[in-house]
Amino acid sequence: MPLQLSNYSWRQTSTAVFISVPLRGVSVRDADVFCTENYLKVNSPPFLFEAFLYAPIDDESSKAKIGNNIIVFTLHKKEAAMWETLSLSGVDKEMMQRIREKSILQAQERAKEATEAKAVARREDQKYTLGVMMK
């Protein structure tokens, strides 16, 4: 069973949130980071950090820097506003599970769309190359 990390720190501006998650005694290379609009997870056995974010973020432009036994997240907010807390309060286990599942489905859908777009671009490139060779 993973140990929940609770010794993280965070600060914010009206447009971004900065989170520092220390991973002492653990290889940060093995850290698995998962981030979506409303959910952030770092799994680095035996430690686990989860945050059910207060408001949606732009996960496409958000970043994570890993090094020196720490992970530093720069999360860009979708709406410029100050958050009361980092995580939603009063979240029960059932709601946590729904948020996790929704986040995983969103990530899978994005990956599928990216794969399809890449395949279409490859076919277009091949078609163009064939056309040039035929001329």
Side-chain angles (χ1 to χ4, degrees):
M1 176 144 202
L3 301 171
Q4 285 287 112
L5 284 174
S6 59
N7 61 339
Y8 64 91
S9 62
W10 74 287
R11 60 184 178 82
Q12 66 176 323
T13 64
S14 62
T15 59
V17 175
F18 306 96
I19 306 171
S20 298
V21 180
L23 295 174
R24 291 180 183 20
V26 176
S27 174
V28 291
R29 288 178 291 147
D30 299 334
D32 176 33
V33 176
F34 182 70
C35 181
T36 61
E37 270 187 1
N38 297 309
Y39 180 65
L40 175 65
K41 179 180 88 168
V42 177
N43 185 16
S44 183
F47 300 108
L48 175 69
F49 170 77
E50 278 187 311
F52 299 92
L53 302 172
Y54 184 79
I57 60 163
D58 181 11
D59 55 338
E60 294 291 321
S61 64
S62 297
K63 297 177 183 174
K65 290 184 182 179
I66 302 174
N68 295 332
N69 294 325
I70 194 165
I71 300 177
V72 179
F73 293 96
T74 303
L75 309 176
H76 298 280
K77 298 177 182 178
K78 282 197 172 183
E79 296 178 12
M82 297 302 277
W83 293 359
E84 295 175 18
T85 61
L86 175 65
S87 295
L88 293 171
S89 58
V91 179
D92 61 349
K93 287 185 178 186
E94 205 173 285
M95 187 174 176
M96 286 180 189
Q97 189 61 33
R98 279 197 307 265
I99 292 171
R100 281 186 200 108
E101 289 171 358
K102 182 181 174 188
S103 296
I104 290 170
L105 288 174
Q106 284 176 343
Q108 288 173 343
E109 186 65 32
R110 275 202 194 126
K112 182 179 176 184
E113 289 172 4
T115 302
E116 289 172 356
K118 191 175 181 181
V120 167
R122 187 179 314 122
R123 279 194 300 273
E124 291 293 323
D125 198 31
Q126 288 173 346
K127 195 185 286 186
Y128 173 76
T129 304
L130 182 62
V132 169
M133 288 173 45
M134 295 298 278
K135 288 181 182 179

